[in-house]
Amino acid sequence: MDFMMKISCSNLMLPGNYLTEQANLLYKWGYDGIALFMNYCQWNEELHEEVLNLRENTGIIPCEFAFTDEIYGHLMSDNIDLRKKSREMYKRAAEISGEIGAVTELEFAYGTQNPLPLFHPYKKMTETEKQDFLEMYKEVTAPLMGTTGKMLLEGINRYESPYLNSIKECTDIIDTLDRENTGVLADFFHMSIEESNITESIKYAGDAIKHVHLGDNNRLLPSYGAIDWQAGFNALKEVGYNGFLNLECSTCGKPSKTLPETAIFLKKMLN
C-alpha cells in the first residue's frame, strides 16, 4: 500500500477554460490531484460528465469537490429558506463527492464576522447550537453513505466563522458525531491563526485528518511565509496521514512558473 502523501491544486488557481485542460497542466507540472470548486449556478450535466471522466482522461485525481455560491456557508442560518437552499447545495456536492470518491467540506458558518472578534476568540456553541449542528452534519452527509466520499469539518479562523475555529475543536466534534464519511480538514493557513502549536494540534487530531489545505500564514504559496512546513509534514507523517495536500492560496505570480516550483518544493519535503 502506498503511504506517500500526494499533492494537488485548486482549479481556481489555474489558467485554462476547461477542467480537463487544467488537469493536464497539473499532470505536466508534477501534481497528483485537483480540487474542484464549481459555481453552483453554472453546474450542468456536461460538467458533471467531465468531472466523472477526469481521472481517466488526464491521470489527475479529482480529490475534492465543492460548490461555490452566495448561499455557501449558511448551513446554520436563522433564515429557514436560506438554510434549506444551502443544505441542498451541500448535499448535492456530497452526492458528487461520493461518485468520485472525493472529499467535500463544511463549517459551522462562513463569512466575515461583524463585529470582529479582536479580544474574545474561541467562542463556544451552546448545547442547543451543538446539537443542531450535529443534526445538520448528519443530514448533509446522508448522500455519502455507502461510498468512499467524505464530508469533512474544516477549522475556519475566528474572523471568518464564529465557532469551530481550531482543528482541536473540530476533532472533538467528529469524535462526538462518531459517523462514517466524516473527518477533519486541516488548513495550514487557518491553523497558523488559531493553533498555538500546529504540530501538536495535528498530533491531537491524528487519524481524524482526512484532507489538508496548504497556504502559508499570509495565504501565499508554501515557503512564501513563516510556517515551518517540514515540521508540519513530519507531524502528518507521524500520525500516518497519506491523503492529499491541496494548494488553496495565491499563486504568487505566473502559475506556469510558481506551481511547478512549488511541486518540487513539496515533494522534496515528503520524500
Side-chain angles (χ1 to χ4, degrees), residues 37 64 105 154 185-188 211-215 246 248:
F37 295 92
E64 180 177 2
E105 58 260 24
E154 182 175 8
L185 195 163
D187 184 304
F188 272 83
H211 195 64
V212 175
H213 282 169
L214 304 182
N246 182 69
E248 191 187 62

Side-chain angles (χ1 to χ4, degrees), residues 35-103:
L36 304 173
F37 295 92
M38 309 301 297
N39 188 308
Y40 189 49
C41 294
Q42 296 176 2
W43 183 250
N44 55 48
E45 192 53 39
E46 184 177 353
L47 283 170
H48 190 184
E49 286 299 314
E50 187 176 13
V51 168
L52 292 178
N53 294 300
L54 199 59
R55 181 174 187 173
E56 180 180 353
N57 290 338
T58 67
I60 289 292
I61 300 170
C63 60
E64 180 177 2
F65 185 93
F67 282 121
T68 62
D69 191 274
E70 62 183 11
I71 61 175
Y72 184 89
H74 292 284
L75 290 163
M76 302 296 293
S77 175
D78 292 332
N79 182 317
I80 296 176
D81 184 56
L82 177 59
R83 182 174 66 206
K84 181 180 178 181
K85 289 179 179 178
S86 184
R87 293 186 185 188
E88 289 302 315
M89 183 181 75
Y90 277 76
K91 284 188 279 189
R92 182 66 179 121
E95 289 175 359
I96 297 162
S97 296
E99 290 178 331
I100 60 178
V103 305

Side-chain angles (χ1 to χ4, degrees), residues 216-229:
D216 223 310
N217 66 294
N218 46 15
R219 203 137 206 187
L220 302 183
L221 286 167
S223 81
Y224 282 66
I227 289 176
D228 185 342
W229 290 99

Side-chain angles (χ1 to χ4, degrees), residues 1 34-35 47 52 106 114 137 159 163 205 211 213 221 238 246 251:
M1 185 175 181
I34 186 169
L47 283 170
L52 292 178
L106 53 67
N114 183 20
Y137 203 161
Y159 307 113
Y163 303 119
H211 195 64
H213 282 169
L221 286 167
E238 186 174 330
N246 182 69
T251 59

Side-chain angles (χ1 to χ4, degrees), residues 11-252:
N11 67 305
L12 300 179
M13 298 170 60
L14 298 165
N17 297 317
Y18 301 98
L19 298 178
T20 301
E21 180 184 0
Q22 293 176 321
N24 282 329
L25 284 175
L26 287 179
Y27 187 86
K28 175 183 176 182
W29 294 341
Y31 288 80
D32 307 294
I34 186 169
L36 304 173
F37 295 92
M38 309 301 297
N39 188 308
Y40 189 49
C41 294
Q42 296 176 2
W43 183 250
N44 55 48
E45 192 53 39
E46 184 177 353
L47 283 170
H48 190 184
E49 286 299 314
E50 187 176 13
V51 168
L52 292 178
N53 294 300
L54 199 59
R55 181 174 187 173
E56 180 180 353
N57 290 338
T58 67
I60 289 292
I61 300 170
C63 60
E64 180 177 2
F65 185 93
F67 282 121
T68 62
D69 191 274
E70 62 183 11
I71 61 175
Y72 184 89
H74 292 284
L75 290 163
M76 302 296 293
S77 175
D78 292 332
N79 182 317
I80 296 176
D81 184 56
L82 177 59
R83 182 174 66 206
K84 181 180 178 181
K85 289 179 179 178
S86 184
R87 293 186 185 188
E88 289 302 315
M89 183 181 75
Y90 277 76
K91 284 188 279 189
R92 182 66 179 121
E95 289 175 359
I96 297 162
S97 296
E99 290 178 331
I100 60 178
V103 305
T104 188
E105 58 260 24
L106 53 67
E107 55 290 300
F108 183 92
Y110 182 79
T112 304
Q113 298 301 291
N114 183 20
L116 291 176
L118 297 178
F119 304 112
H120 301 286
Y122 310 120
K123 290 172 59 179
K124 301 297 182 184
M125 290 182 282
T126 65
E127 192 57 34
T128 298
E129 287 174 322
K130 181 178 178 179
Q131 292 306 313
D132 287 347
F133 178 80
L134 291 171
E135 288 303 314
M136 176 278 296
Y137 203 161
K138 292 175 184 177
E139 176 187 342
V140 297
T141 56
L144 290 166
M145 300 300 289
T147 77
T148 60
K150 297 184 185 302
M151 174 80 77
L152 305 182
L153 179 55
E154 182 175 8
I156 302 291
N157 75 75
R158 71 193 72 171
Y159 307 113
E160 299 177 57
S161 187
Y163 303 119
L164 301 171
N165 307 125
S166 74
I167 62 168
K168 285 188 173 184
E169 293 174 300
C170 292
T171 301
D172 292 342
I173 284 287
I174 293 300
D175 289 344
T176 300
L177 189 65
D178 190 25
R179 188 181 179 97
E180 292 184 6
N181 305 103
T182 64
V184 170
L185 195 163
D187 184 304
F188 272 83
F189 167 69
H190 294 299
M191 287 195 291
S192 74
I193 297 172
E194 298 299 346
E195 312 296 339
S196 58
N197 185 306
I198 290 176
T199 59
E200 290 304 314
S201 293
I202 288 172
K203 294 174 186 178
Y204 181 90
D207 62 7
I209 298 175
K210 306 299 183 185
H211 195 64
V212 175
H213 282 169
L214 304 182
D216 223 310
N217 66 294
N218 46 15
R219 203 137 206 187
L220 302 183
L221 286 167
S223 81
Y224 282 66
I227 289 176
D228 185 342
W229 290 99
Q230 191 65 73
F233 292 159
N234 286 346
L236 287 169
K237 290 177 185 178
E238 186 174 330
V239 301
Y241 180 72
N242 69 331
F244 278 91
L245 306 170
N246 182 69
L247 293 174
E248 191 187 62
C249 55
S250 167
T251 59
C252 301

